Structures are given as C-alpha cells and as structure tokens.
C-alpha cells in the first residue's frame, strides 16, 4: 500500500451533498491514488498518485462538518492507500455523529493482514468505519441487486451500529445527475456504460430542442456538456 502524509489528503473529488453514495444524504470524498487498479474500474483517472488537490485534514474536516449531512462516504482511488489522513477525517465525522461508510478494493483479509503487520493508519480507519464495502471490482460479476456495490464478490461488513447491514437490501441503488449552471454534468452512483451513454445522448437531444424552442441567442446549461464523473 502507498501512503500519504498523516495530515495531508489528496482529494480527487469532493461532493458536499449526495443521496447516491450510501444511505441518506451524505458527503462523499474520492481520494486521488490507488495501487490496486482493478480491470474495468470506473475511475481510472483516480489511479495516479500525482494530481488531485492536496488538502490539510483540518480543512477537509471543516468542510465535511459544514455540509450538514448525516454521513460521510469515502471512495477513490483507494481509501486505505491514504488510511492515516482519512482516519483522522473519519474520526472527526464520527465524533460529530455522522456515520462513516468506506469503500475498498482490498478484501477484509488483506486489510486485517495489514493491521497485523503493524499499519496503525489502516487499523484507525477500520475502527472509524461503520460500514465497509471491501473487495476488488470484478467486471464479470457486476452486482445489479445490492445498492452501492460494484460486483457480487464485494463484502458488506458492519463495523458500527449506525449503518445496519440488514437495512442495505431495502435501500435502492441510485444514479444521481446534477447539471450546474456552467454546464458541468456531475454523475454519482452506479450505472453501466450503456445506461450512461443513453442518458448523455438524451440530454444532448434535449439541449438541441431547447435551442430550437428558445432561439439562437439563448444560453444553455448543457451546451457544451462537461462531465464530472466518479462512479464506484
């Protein structure tokens, strides 16, 4: 596993409020950098450790708490490749009453092995996590039934009492689309490439229809469309 400074977190993406990355309304952080690099990963742009926005953990904590959501979800990249600074953020979130959900491409056995090998950051992040979704994404095992998981091999491990695993089956998976005034289209949640392509095609047609209806001088949020996508 690679590691970053204990008080600096390389952020690939930060979403203040979302309902697609776990139960309820949550704040979501995608870290920049991953050593696992699963074939078929939705976020290969988050593999490299160069890039992202290096941010002091104190600033990250302040932004998480200011969002006023009920939970924090950690994604990537690979959260456990940045375990020490993320553990600090997760501890602060938990102390403020937020539930913490962490995704990892490592299996629970691998994570426990790292703990036993003396990696305190991994142990701290596991301790601060209420629900862990662990295991590599396997493209041939796409999970179309459970929410949040990318493939059926991935484990749901309840580590605290704030997100009961028993409630997972009753929670629908969501694809969340946000269009900003500057034309940036943000996509959260899970969708296969066919669904996403169909969605963008439809949005493009709607943009053209708006231009026809409103006249050539109209300003269109979707023209041009820019994508800000980080899926699981």
């Amino acid at each position: 596993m690679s590691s970053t400074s204990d008080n600096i977190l390389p952020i690939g993406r930060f979403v203040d409020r979302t309902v697609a990355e776990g139960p309820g309304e949550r704040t979501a952080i995608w870290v920049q950098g991953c050593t696992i690099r699963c074939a078929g990963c939705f976020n290969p742009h988050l593999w490299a450790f160069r890039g992202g926005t290096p941010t002091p953990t104190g600033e990250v904590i302040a932004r998480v708490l200011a969002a006023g959501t009920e939970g924090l979800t950690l994604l990537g990249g690979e959260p456990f490749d940045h375990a020490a600074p993320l553990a600090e953020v997760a501890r602060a979130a938990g102390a403020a009453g937020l539930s913490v959900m962490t995704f990892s491409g490592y299996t629970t056995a691998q994570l426990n092995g790292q703990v036993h090998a003396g990696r305190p950051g991994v142990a701290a992040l596991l301790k601060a996590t209420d629900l862990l979704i662990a295991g590599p994404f396997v493209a041939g095992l796409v999970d179309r039934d459970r929410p949040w998981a990318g493939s059926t091999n991935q484990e749901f491990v309840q580590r605290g009492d704030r997100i009961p695993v028993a409630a997972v089956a009753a929670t629908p998976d969501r694809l969340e689309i946000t269009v900003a005034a500057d034309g940036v289209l943000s996509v959260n949640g899970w969708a296969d490439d066919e669904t996403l392509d169909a969605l963008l095609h439809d949005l493009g047609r709607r943009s053209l229809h708006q231009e026809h209806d409103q006249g050539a001088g109209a300003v269109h949020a979707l023209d041009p469309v820019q994508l800000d996508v980080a899926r699981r």
Side-chain angles (χ1 to χ4, degrees):
M1 294 183 181
S2 295
S3 182
T4 49
S5 167
D6 286 359
N7 60 2
I8 298 292
L9 193 61
I11 294 180
R13 190 179 186 223
F14 191 112
V15 174
D16 292 273
R17 310 177 79 87
T18 176
V19 295
E21 303 298 349
E25 187 176 50
R26 312 181 68 77
T27 298
I29 299 173
W30 286 259
V31 290
Q32 179 74 45
C34 175
T35 57
I36 302 175
R37 305 188 175 191
C38 304
C41 173
F42 290 127
N43 299 322
H45 56 292
L46 297 178
W47 286 353
F49 285 84
R50 298 171 66 180
T53 303
T55 308
T57 53
E59 292 183 17
V60 179
I61 291 167
R63 186 173 177 185
V64 168
L65 299 185
T69 59
E70 61 193 88
L72 172 65
T73 299
L74 306 175
L75 314 97
E78 170 51 47
F80 284 93
D81 284 349
H82 310 273
L86 272 184
E88 184 179 344
V89 174
R91 278 195 301 264
L98 280 68
S99 64
V100 177
M101 182 173 169
T102 305
F103 285 84
S104 178
Y106 294 104
T107 64
T108 53
Q110 289 173 322
L111 292 172
N112 290 335
Q114 290 296 321
V115 172
H116 294 151
R119 299 189 68 93
V122 173
L125 182 53
L126 284 171
K127 184 177 180 180
T129 294
D130 294 295
L131 179 63
L132 172 69
I133 298 182
F137 173 71
V138 178
L141 297 175
V142 170
D143 195 332
R144 302 186 184 280
D145 296 318
R146 297 181 300 174
W148 316 319
S151 54
T152 57
N153 61 294
Q154 293 172 324
E155 308 165 84
F156 282 70
V157 183
Q158 183 177 334
R159 301 189 58 87
D161 58 4
R162 289 175 170 157
I163 309 179
V165 170
V168 169
T171 305
D173 212 351
R174 292 185 172 95
L175 179 65
E176 182 180 73
I177 311 296
T178 304
V179 183
D182 60 2
V184 174
L185 180 69
S186 298
V187 180
N188 298 326
W190 189 91
D192 57 34
D193 290 336
E194 286 187 9
T195 300
L196 189 57
D197 287 345
L199 171 68
L200 294 178
H201 181 265
D202 185 55
L203 286 172
R205 288 194 303 168
R206 287 178 183 272
S207 181
L208 290 175
H209 290 165
Q210 289 174 351
E211 182 174 357
H212 180 268
D213 294 341
Q214 298 174 13
V219 176
H220 309 299
L222 298 179
D223 189 13
V225 171
Q226 301 176 55
L227 271 179
D228 178 19
V229 180
R231 297 176 287 167
R232 296 187 296 278

